[in-house]
Amino acid sequence: MRVSESISRTLSAGATMLALGVLAVAVSACMMAGGGPAPSNGDVTGSISQSSGPRPAAPPRRMAQAGSAKEWSGEDGASGHPEMTAAAIRQRAANFDQCIAGFWPEAARRGISQESFQRFTADLSPDLRIMDLVDSQPEFTKAVWDYLDVLVNDTRLARGREMLTKYKATFDAVEHVYGVDRYIVAAIWGIESNYSTQGGDRSVLNSTATLACVGRRQAYFREEFLDALEILHHGDLTPQQLRGSWAGAFGATQFMPSAFKRFAVDFDRDGRRNIVDDVPDILASTSNMFRKNGWVPGQTWGYEVEVPPGFNYMYADRSKVMTIAQWEHLGLRRAGGKGFPRNSDKAFLLAPAGSEGPGFLMLGNFRAITKYNPAEAYALAIGHFADRLRGGGPLVQAWPRQERVLSRAERLELQELLAQRGFYRGEPDGNLGGQTRQALRSFQASIGAPADGFASAGVLDRLRQR
């Protein structure tokens, strides 16, 4: 049966089924691990320049097996993107074979042989369940303190300390070469895959092929798909090893194929770059990525600080970078009565729970972590977990655990109200980033409240009343 016939039958049945539950928010939030989301690349041209000889013919492809398409809700995506309508998804899926065959010229340009292309693409079929995941809108109802509780727990810490002891010689060698703090690397390993005991089980090649041919990010995933083909052609990993998340992240520290291509190294010189089950390559590849993303050897990621009463939280902004000495002049002190090792280090102030929670002075290495995953809560968890692995204790100051986290609908309402009152100029999307925090600070200052940018239920009520 042709793949298009299989898809048609699957979609016909799938349209009568209820959509599966939204996937729980992953620890890494499927943020294109290994350096954050890469910029979308232009469309593959479909042509190939040859120094001599004729252009190779597209290899014949064996059709995907019947029934290989996964269950899909059959509904339009929530993003409203034209490529995420049910009709567009069906049309693209029906053309899946031709789409994959169309990648052959670019694959040949990359040095992928005709035999490899045919062998690795023969059994691909669109995993349309991914379409529901691409546009899912999870509520993100965990507060930063709950997020830290989940990620930095005693079980994971104990396992991490075992790994640091077991592989001490390897950590020593990798740290010597790359200059990246071993505890940061161990924290990434622990949080991304629980030290290689948990990971995605989808075929990375099939997932990226699906996303390269169907949905709203085809240009980006074309490159990821072709990079995955290169990995298999070069023999670094087998198809059985190249398994990961629905978005294509794989391995012990969750690299996208493009990140593997840029950062993976063969540290033990066995002829293969293996970030799945080769510990030297896992640690070295992750360290290499951090080094190339600007990690400063010998410097930490940040410090928990006590923010004085009456502090002007308009300073709590990533763009306001000052020396530690300047922050001390403004009244900030390191939590627990400790001193700072260098007053000349530059940092910005992060107050993730506003004036009622702890503050953090973030150094340049915090930014290096956010290049791996841009979520501030994730980067904070990595830094804190690394400190705990090093022997540090829990955070000194208490979180405002009595605060209720806003639902997505409430976050949208908050942004809309801020926009109506002239404080917010972005498009309301329910994601509370730096622009929303700045707008909140301006609103709070206008009503004489602590301008900490924290989106609490109380500040939403104040907006509703005005």
Side-chain angles (χ1 to χ4, degrees), residues 406-421 423-424 428 430-432 436-437 439-440 443 453-461 463-464:
L406 299 184
S407 69
R408 184 173 185 278
E410 288 174 319
R411 296 196 303 272
L412 279 167
E413 181 187 3
L414 180 139
Q415 289 174 320
E416 290 164 355
L417 291 172
L418 286 170
Q420 291 171 17
R421 286 149 181 75
F423 295 103
Y424 181 69
N431 299 320
L432 305 185
T436 304
R437 285 201 298 269
L440 269 175
F443 168 71
F454 182 52
S456 66
V459 77
L460 177 58
D461 286 340
L463 275 165
R464 289 166 172 164

Side-chain angles (χ1 to χ4, degrees), residues 298-300 303 324 334 338-345 363:
Q299 188 181 86
T300 188
Y303 304 100
I324 296 293
R334 191 173 175 187
K338 299 178 181 178
F340 297 103
R342 288 181 300 275
N343 288 341
S344 60
D345 285 347
L363 281 67

Side-chain angles (χ1 to χ4, degrees), residues 121-311:
T121 65
D123 292 323
L124 297 178
S125 59
D127 180 357
L128 294 184
R129 169 69 180 111
I130 291 176
M131 293 301 105
D132 290 327
L133 304 179
V134 169
D135 265 9
S136 66
Q137 295 183 329
E139 279 294 292
F140 293 108
T141 55
K142 281 193 182 299
V144 62
W145 47 90
D146 292 328
Y147 188 74
L148 288 173
D149 288 346
V150 170
L151 296 187
V152 187
N153 58 64
D154 291 341
T155 301
R156 188 176 278 122
L157 283 167
R159 181 65 172 161
R161 290 167 184 143
E162 289 176 9
M163 295 295 101
L164 285 160
T165 299
K166 180 177 180 179
Y167 296 106
K168 181 181 183 302
T170 304
F171 275 107
D172 287 344
V174 169
E175 194 172 62
H176 175 74
V177 171
Y178 296 100
V180 177
D181 180 10
R182 71 184 63 199
Y183 299 103
I184 288 289
V185 177
I188 292 284
W189 187 12
I191 284 178
E192 289 296 341
S193 68
N194 199 16
Y195 300 103
S196 301
T197 64
Q198 298 172 351
D201 58 2
R202 275 184 163 89
S203 162
V204 169
L205 192 66
N206 201 71
S207 293
T208 54
T210 298
L211 291 160
C213 293
V214 187
R216 59 184 169 85
R217 297 197 68 192
Q218 293 173 39
Y220 169 76
F221 280 104
R222 284 189 190 102
E223 299 303 309
E224 296 297 340
F225 169 68
L226 289 163
D227 287 341
L229 271 177
E230 283 191 68
I231 293 169
L232 294 173
H233 173 69
H234 292 152
D236 286 303
L237 297 169
T238 66
Q240 292 71 34
Q241 289 174 307
L242 196 60
R243 303 190 71 80
S245 74
W246 62 263
F250 68 96
T253 53
Q254 293 291 282
F255 278 21
M256 290 295 288
S258 59
F260 179 96
K261 187 175 177 180
R262 292 173 61 198
F263 304 122
V265 296
D266 177 16
F267 194 74
D268 57 8
R269 300 183 184 279
D270 66 354
R272 300 170 64 237
R273 297 179 296 167
N274 179 357
I275 64 165
V276 175
D277 45 34
D278 185 320
V279 172
D281 289 2
I282 291 167
L283 302 183
S285 298
T286 308
S287 297
N288 184 45
M289 181 201 63
F290 271 101
R291 183 183 70 173
K292 291 186 175 179
N293 279 339
W295 184 270
V296 179
Q299 188 181 86
T300 188
W301 60 278
Y303 304 100
E304 182 189 356
V305 293
E306 297 173 357
V307 182
F311 181 79

